[in-house]
Amino acid sequence: MTRADLDKQPHEVAEMFDGVAQRYDLTNTVISLGQDRGWRRSTRAALGLRPGERVLDVGAGTGVSTEELGRSGAYAVGADISTGMLRAGRGDGRTVPLVAGDALKLPFADEAFDAVTISFALRNVVDTEAALRELARVVRPGGRLVVCEFSSPTNFAFRTVYLSYLMRSLPAVARTVSSNPDAYVYLAESIRAWPNQEALAARITAAGPWSRVGWRNLTGGVVALHRATKN
């Protein structure tokens, strides 16, 4: 398996990310022009974590995002469907807890966390609404959700250039640094097919039991942080 299809079958997505685990973090930094570090810091800030709280990082990959969350003083746990990504993270010396877990059936008890986040992974789940409900299950009432995901640039001219970069330049750049460049064709297509900021906010609200849903654009809307509170 070199890439998944847009029907996003879980075993295909897992196999694809197993294939890009080697040099995954480096590839992300290169194709985002170094913006990924700032996006992780913004996600941590949006969660409003306090020392002693428990936060779950779904779609954690190699755990670099989980480590960033842990800098708040909260107890951060990472979960990912790709065991290859988890092994790569442990091989890179990650000390945060990293466990295998599908976003549609997380291996945690009800209301086990004060907050939950999913970064650049919700669009890879076969059933977005079911995943949002599962994220709600593991968070206590009053707990917080932050979805960090690629979105739609707000400026028309910039959006045109960005979409051209996605479909033409991103796979070419990935060929120079990624261990599985074909996977980045899927990733570009999945970003282009993903709903914009307003549409994702509507999905989060409809999935329930999330309320007070809002978003903030990063990098001109290339990425958006959607925040919500569990009823």
Side-chain angles (χ1 to χ4, degrees):
M1 170 62 61
T2 58
R3 55 168 289 190
D5 294 322
L6 286 181
D7 61 1
K8 305 171 188 176
Q9 294 305 307
H11 70 282
E12 293 183 355
V13 172
E15 288 178 21
M16 183 188 69
F17 278 100
D18 287 347
V20 298
Q22 183 183 4
R23 306 178 76 186
Y24 179 75
D25 295 322
L26 171 63
T27 303
N28 283 348
T29 298
V30 170
I31 65 178
S32 71
L33 305 179
Q35 295 294 304
D36 59 322
R37 299 183 182 94
W39 297 338
R40 288 193 291 272
R41 289 193 296 268
S42 294
T43 299
R44 172 169 56 83
L47 282 162
L49 297 168
R50 295 180 290 275
E53 288 193 311
R54 294 170 58 87
V55 58
L56 176 62
D57 182 20
V58 180
T62 66
V64 65
S65 56
T66 316
E67 280 192 335
E68 179 63 43
L69 297 177
R71 292 189 175 96
S72 66
Y75 178 73
V77 179
D80 200 279
I81 196 172
S82 166
T83 56
M85 295 286 278
L86 298 173
R87 282 194 299 270
R90 295 185 186 108
D92 288 341
R94 305 270 185 265
T95 57
V96 291
L98 297 174
V99 301
D102 187 337
L104 294 173
K105 193 174 182 180
L106 293 166
F108 302 103
D110 295 355
E111 302 179 6
F113 295 92
D114 299 288
V116 62
T117 183
I118 181 166
S119 296
F120 308 111
L122 187 59
R123 74 179 194 284
N124 298 319
V125 179
V126 66
D127 188 335
T128 303
E129 286 73 17
L132 289 165
R133 290 192 296 271
E134 179 68 352
L135 296 179
R137 181 186 66 79
V138 300
V139 175
R140 64 168 175 80
R144 292 95 67 199
L145 164 72
V146 170
V147 177
C148 178
E149 189 54 88
F150 290 110
S151 198
S152 179
T154 55
N155 179 274
F156 176 78
F158 178 42
R159 183 163 63 248
T160 301
V161 172
Y162 170 67
L163 290 174
S164 176
Y165 169 74
L166 274 181
M167 302 314 299
R168 297 181 182 181
S169 301
L170 186 150
V173 171
R175 279 194 291 273
T176 68
V177 289
S178 174
S179 55
N180 182 11
D182 287 344
Y184 285 84
V185 176
Y186 157 82
L187 293 173
E189 291 174 348
S190 69
I191 294 169
R192 187 175 62 174
W194 187 243
N196 65 15
Q197 292 89 327
E198 185 176 359
L200 180 56
R203 285 194 183 187
I204 294 172
T205 300
W210 300 111
S211 62
R212 298 166 58 189
V213 179
W215 71 85
R216 179 165 71 92
N217 289 320
L218 304 177
T219 318
V222 168
V223 166
L225 294 179
H226 282 72
R227 193 177 190 276
T229 303
K230 182 177 175 180
N231 294 331

